[in-house]
């Protein structure tokens, strides 16, 4: 039921491009939201919807205010608080690894949206775009095949996703024949297009606040995102079986990718024979 930037199957296109499909999708997610709160009117989501719990995002606490009873946020707002919870936070883990010049050279920073990328501008979302193609390779470094990132994807299935990403990176480093952008400019444009779609789909998601944590976002549509990577590698997709109608209802397990290394090796050998 979750949309993805690429709608492969007829069912996905029906659910996300037609009036009736949209109604069915909204009913499904409304029921899921109700069920997650067990139908309670005093649950977290219900209270948020009623405005009884106010969320301030993506602003962050900068410091305590002078009176000792308030905190100053990064957007300049000062709010009085009863308690402050200190957590690990979501600061970039790259800051202490790469010098500013090195980060710029690698292309792991962010950049303003490209003028020719159609997008919707949300007033409360930062006007920046991720420079990381697929959430794995800096766009400007796409042709070098010597630098990649695993773990910068925000998803609901880290185990499956990071395993597939590791295989993608391995194929990328080994120089395997893959579906890749033809140039850094194309990679940058595709990364910008994806960032624009993410902002449209998740308007409250500060995609570029932390490149090391969410340079790519695939919450519920992670199966489709992983199929993108599998398709890049030239191996079978939609591995849980079924057809265009039944595939979304199949159970996805890690067993589907247990032989991925052997599949990649077989494809590599086939590609070499084709060249020779």
């Amino acid at each position: 039921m979750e949309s993805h930037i690429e709608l492969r199957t007829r069912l996905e296109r029906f659910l996300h491009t037609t009036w009736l499909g949209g109604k069915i999708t909204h009913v499904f997610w409304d029921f899921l939201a109700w069920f997650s709160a067990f139908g309670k009117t005093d649950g977290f989501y219900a209270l948020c919807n009623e405005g009884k719990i106010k969320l301030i995002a993506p602003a962050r606490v900068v410091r305590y205010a002078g009176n000792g009873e308030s905190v100053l946020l990064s957007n300049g707002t000062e709010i009085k608080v009863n308690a402050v919870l200190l957590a690990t936070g979501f600061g970039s883990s790259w800051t202490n690894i790469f010098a500013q010049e090195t980060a710029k050279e690698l292309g792991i920073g962010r950049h303003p949206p490209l003028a020719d990328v159609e997008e919707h501008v949300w007033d409360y979302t930062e006007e920046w775009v991720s420079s990381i193609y697929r959430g794995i390779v800096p766009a400007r470094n796409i042709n070098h095949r010597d630098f990649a990132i695993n773990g910068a994807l925000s998803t609901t299935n880290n185990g499956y996703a990071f395993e597939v990403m590791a295989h993608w990176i391995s194929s990328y480093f080994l120089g395997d024949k893959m579906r890749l952008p033809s140039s850094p400019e194309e990679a940058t444009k595709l990364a910008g297009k994806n960032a624009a779609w993410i902002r449209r789909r998740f308007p409250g998601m500060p995609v570029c606040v932390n490149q090391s944590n969410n340079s790519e976002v695939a919450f519920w549509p992670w199966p489709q995102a992983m199929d993108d990577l599998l398709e890049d590698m030239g191996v079978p997709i939609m591995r849980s079986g079924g057809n265009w109608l039944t595939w979304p209802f199949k159970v996805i397990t890690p067993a589907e990718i247990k032989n991925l290394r052997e599949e990649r090796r077989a494809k590599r050998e086939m590609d070499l024979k084709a060249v020779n």
Side-chain angles (χ1 to χ4, degrees):
M1 290 292 186
E2 176 66 273
S3 62
H4 184 56
I5 190 170
E6 300 292 342
L7 302 176
R8 281 194 180 84
T9 66
R10 281 179 283 173
L11 179 59
E12 289 176 287
R13 290 191 288 273
F14 166 73
L15 291 173
H16 301 294
T17 63
T18 67
W19 177 87
L20 179 59
K23 290 294 184 181
I24 295 173
T25 302
H26 279 291
V27 169
F28 171 81
W29 285 110
D30 287 344
F31 171 77
L32 192 63
W34 175 88
F35 182 77
S36 65
F38 301 102
K40 296 180 179 179
T41 58
D42 59 347
F44 175 77
Y45 298 109
L47 294 176
C48 285
N49 290 332
E50 293 176 10
K52 294 180 180 178
I53 295 179
K54 185 178 180 182
L55 300 178
I56 303 176
R60 302 182 180 191
V61 175
V62 176
R63 59 179 173 80
Y64 289 103
N67 59 14
E69 297 180 351
S70 305
V71 292
L72 180 66
L73 304 183
S74 56
N75 61 7
T77 303
E78 185 176 313
I79 58 174
K80 187 175 182 179
V81 296
N82 296 322
V84 176
L85 303 181
L86 300 179
T88 56
F90 290 92
S92 174
S93 60
W94 297 344
T95 304
N96 297 325
I97 299 176
F98 303 108
Q100 186 174 357
E101 296 77 10
T102 304
K104 183 177 181 180
E105 181 180 351
L106 290 172
I108 60 175
R110 58 185 189 173
H111 64 272
L114 300 177
D116 61 342
V117 176
E118 182 181 352
E119 63 176 322
H120 183 82
V121 178
W122 301 88
D123 294 338
Y124 49 89
T125 300
E126 291 189 72
E127 294 303 314
W128 296 96
V129 172
S130 172
S131 302
I132 314 298
Y133 176 72
R134 294 284 200 223
I136 301 177
V137 178
R140 67 177 300 176
N141 205 49
I142 193 71
N143 291 336
H144 295 168
R145 292 201 173 202
D146 59 1
F147 183 85
I149 306 153
N150 197 350
L153 170 73
S154 289
T155 180
T156 52
N157 194 331
N158 290 337
Y160 193 107
F162 294 164
E163 177 71 11
V164 172
M165 292 172 72
H167 281 281
W168 193 99
I169 291 171
S170 176
S171 290
Y172 178 71
F173 283 165
L174 290 172
D176 290 350
K177 185 178 180 181
M178 299 175 66
R179 180 184 63 182
L180 293 171
S182 60
S183 66
E185 291 75 21
E186 183 184 1
T188 300
K189 186 174 182 178
L190 290 172
K193 177 183 177 182
N194 189 64
W197 179 82
I198 291 174
R199 282 200 298 276
R200 183 181 291 270
R201 177 63 187 84
F202 305 105
M205 170 62 67
V207 179
C208 294
V209 169
N210 182 0
Q211 293 276 73
S212 70
N213 175 260
N214 57 4
S215 60
E216 174 68 285
V217 177
F219 290 135
W220 300 118
W222 64 264
Q224 295 98 308
M226 293 306 101
D227 276 353
D228 287 341
L229 300 184
L230 292 170
E231 201 167 44
D232 287 345
M233 291 183 275
V235 295
I237 63 174
M238 298 175 65
R239 292 170 171 249
S240 54
N243 54 34
W244 65 269
L245 179 62
T246 61
W247 167 76
F249 306 102
K250 295 290 185 177
V251 176
I252 301 175
T253 69
E256 300 174 5
I257 54 175
K258 67 178 182 180
N259 297 320
L260 192 50
R261 178 182 178 184
E262 289 71 21
E263 293 178 39
R264 291 172 42 235
R265 181 186 293 117
K267 179 182 178 298
R268 186 180 309 119
E269 293 174 353
M270 191 187 319
D271 289 340
L272 289 174
K273 288 181 181 179
V275 172
N276 298 329

